[in-house]
Amino acid sequence: MTVRHRRDPWRSAVADRLFAALSEVQRAPYAVLACQCVLLDEHNPAVPDVVVVNRAAVDLYAAEVLPADAAVLVVEIVSAGDRSDRWYRTPSRYAAAGIAYFWRVERGLDGRPIVYEYWLDHESRRYRPAPAYAHTGVLATTVPFPIRVDLADLLAGPDSNHP
């Protein structure tokens, strides 16, 4: 099992607010969870920052870990110390487990989030960039359910340095 590093304030703010934004628009049969263990195979768990699961595929209140086949979307927020892992190793593990959608969130030069959206190519078991691959001002997608988020809002708040 991989031990997660302490999240820096930027990563925490983005993760918490992205979780909230996804939770607001989730639809049946989906549930949005934060920092839940997903068992990718018999020996490899992962703990994405946010995960969307199909409730029909798992009893959320009985499962100690989420099976990979219940996960529909995993979201990983990149920190400086784990960039290589989150660019290469982590996405390939999620793809091999058959998770349909993957978002990698990075900090742009202006400090605002950039969301890179990937869709699973089921034949090759590799992620391919989604048609609208890099979301810079607004995250707008229809999968796993429609969502539209002003990415600057992920940092907005009473003690934010952003407008």
Side-chain angles (χ1 to χ4, degrees):
M1 177 178 251
T2 303
V3 176
R4 302 292 288 218
H5 298 289
R6 184 182 62 78
R7 293 195 308 190
D8 62 70
W10 184 90
R11 183 175 173 183
S12 291
V14 171
D16 293 348
R17 292 185 181 124
L18 189 56
F19 167 79
L22 283 162
S23 296
E24 278 183 34
V25 297
Q26 74 184 4
R27 301 176 172 191
Y30 302 111
V32 180
L33 306 168
C35 297
Q36 296 296 307
C37 186
V38 178
L39 192 58
L40 302 178
D41 63 37
E42 185 179 343
H43 303 288
N44 291 296
V47 183
D49 292 292
V50 180
V51 61
V52 175
V53 298
N54 180 344
R55 285 187 224 172
V58 64
D59 180 347
L60 292 178
Y61 301 111
E64 288 185 34
V65 296
L66 301 170
D69 61 356
V72 178
L73 164 69
V74 288
V75 180
E76 290 283 353
I77 301 171
V78 176
S79 294
D82 62 7
R83 182 163 289 144
S84 178
D85 190 47
R86 293 188 191 245
W87 280 3
Y88 303 108
R89 185 172 162 260
T90 303
S92 66
R93 291 173 60 213
Y94 290 144
I99 299 171
Y101 306 106
F102 171 70
W103 296 352
R104 187 182 75 236
V105 183
E106 295 186 15
R107 187 176 187 158
L109 295 175
D110 62 359
R112 295 174 194 252
I114 301 170
V115 178
Y116 296 93
E117 181 181 6
Y118 298 89
W119 295 358
L120 183 65
D121 174 349
H122 291 279
E123 190 173 310
S124 69
R125 287 284 178 132
R126 293 181 181 207
Y127 287 117
R128 303 286 181 223
Y133 166 62
H135 303 271
T136 54
V138 173
L139 167 63
T141 188
T142 59
V143 292
F145 42 78
I147 184 168
R148 183 175 177 82
V149 177
D150 182 334
L151 294 172
D153 288 349
L154 299 180
L155 296 174
D159 48 353
S160 171
N161 291 333
H162 295 278

